[in-house]
Amino acid sequence: MNHEDTAAGHSGGGQDFAAGRTERPPKPAAPPTAGLPLVPPAAVPPVELPGLPPAQPPRKPGRAGQTVLKTVFVLVLVGVVGSLIWLAMWLSDNGQNNGNSGADGSGVIEISPSAPASALPLPREGVPPADFKLGDCFKDFDPEALKSTVVACDAGHSAQLVATYRYPANDSYPGGEALKAKALEACQAAKLAPPANDFTLNFQRAYPSSTSWESGDRRVDCYVTAPGGNVITASVLP
């Protein structure tokens, strides 16, 4: 065996081999992925541990707040509708009463005629106070007289009945002072039309005595009167 030839024959290969083990080629700057298709990473299924409930999906934020706002809005809307219904019923009741309720709630102060005043023909003499109608006009009026003369309001007259209050039939006699106060309430509630400004007028109250009360008289009256006599020539009610 030629040892030198063998050694010589391996010397070149040995240098190459030795050089390859001591000097590694430089690493590339980035993985050689250019030109290769992108593959999305595989989805990893959730791992459920034994004995634990499955994970719940996250809840959307703001759902509870929206529910509260909707509830509050509905409650406010119901309250507004209820208030409007109550107001309509209240106005309807007051319109039917055609006057103002008394302070004790037992009667109604009438300030606007719900029907025509005393029927024609006029004048009518010898009319008792129990037959007076709201809006009647009187010639030579005397509130203490047992009978009066009712005339047309465009004729000369000295008084007109402009407000009344009628006590319930089963009420007991309230006394003179209470009757005066109720008559004053009626006069304060009276509403006069513009023609009232053309005359000098006073308010005058009339109310039943204990004797007339026992006979069924329950009405308290408020009149406008002219101190100058039969000088009023128009109705002073609207």
Side-chain angles (χ1 to χ4, degrees):
M1 175 181 295
N2 190 335
H3 181 74
E4 292 180 0
D5 288 344
T6 300
H10 286 279
S11 61
Q15 289 176 356
D16 290 343
F17 179 76
R21 290 176 61 89
T22 55
E23 294 182 10
R24 299 180 180 178
K27 294 182 179 180
T33 57
L36 297 179
L38 296 178
V39 179
V44 180
V47 178
E48 296 184 3
L49 298 178
L52 295 178
Q56 299 295 329
R59 301 178 66 180
K60 294 182 178 180
R63 180 68 58 85
Q66 293 177 1
T67 302
V68 172
L69 289 177
K70 289 180 180 179
T71 303
V72 171
F73 175 78
V74 171
L75 292 176
V76 172
L77 182 61
V78 171
V80 171
V81 172
S83 299
L84 292 176
I85 293 175
W86 176 87
L87 179 60
M89 294 177 63
W90 182 84
L91 291 175
S92 176
D93 290 342
N94 279 279
Q96 292 176 359
N97 287 339
N98 196 23
N100 300 323
S101 296
D104 55 5
S106 60
V108 172
I109 296 176
E110 299 179 10
I111 58 175
S112 178
S114 57
S118 293
L120 298 174
L122 296 175
R124 289 177 56 198
E125 297 182 358
V127 180
D131 293 339
F132 291 173
K133 304 294 183 183
L134 183 63
D136 275 352
C137 296
F138 305 92
K139 181 180 179 181
D140 300 324
F141 180 69
D142 180 1
E144 296 183 1
L146 298 179
K147 293 183 180 180
S148 299
T149 300
V150 180
V151 298
C153 290
D154 57 0
H157 57 279
S158 62
Q160 184 174 4
L161 180 57
V162 295
T164 65
Y165 177 87
R166 191 180 301 275
Y167 282 88
N170 58 353
D171 275 14
S172 57
Y173 183 67
E177 292 302 318
L179 290 169
K180 277 198 226 179
K182 187 60 67 176
L184 178 59
E185 285 184 30
C187 288
Q188 291 172 338
K191 295 182 179 179
L192 304 183
N197 299 324
D198 298 334
F199 311 100
T200 300
L201 302 175
N202 298 321
F203 282 110
Q204 189 163 355
R205 297 171 287 176
Y207 47 88
S209 64
S210 57
T211 302
S212 63
W213 185 279
E214 293 299 327
S215 64
D217 185 4
R218 296 291 188 272
R219 199 184 70 227
V220 173
D221 296 330
C222 176
Y223 301 86
V224 290
T225 61
N230 300 315
V231 296
I232 310 174
T233 55
S235 173
V236 299
L237 287 179

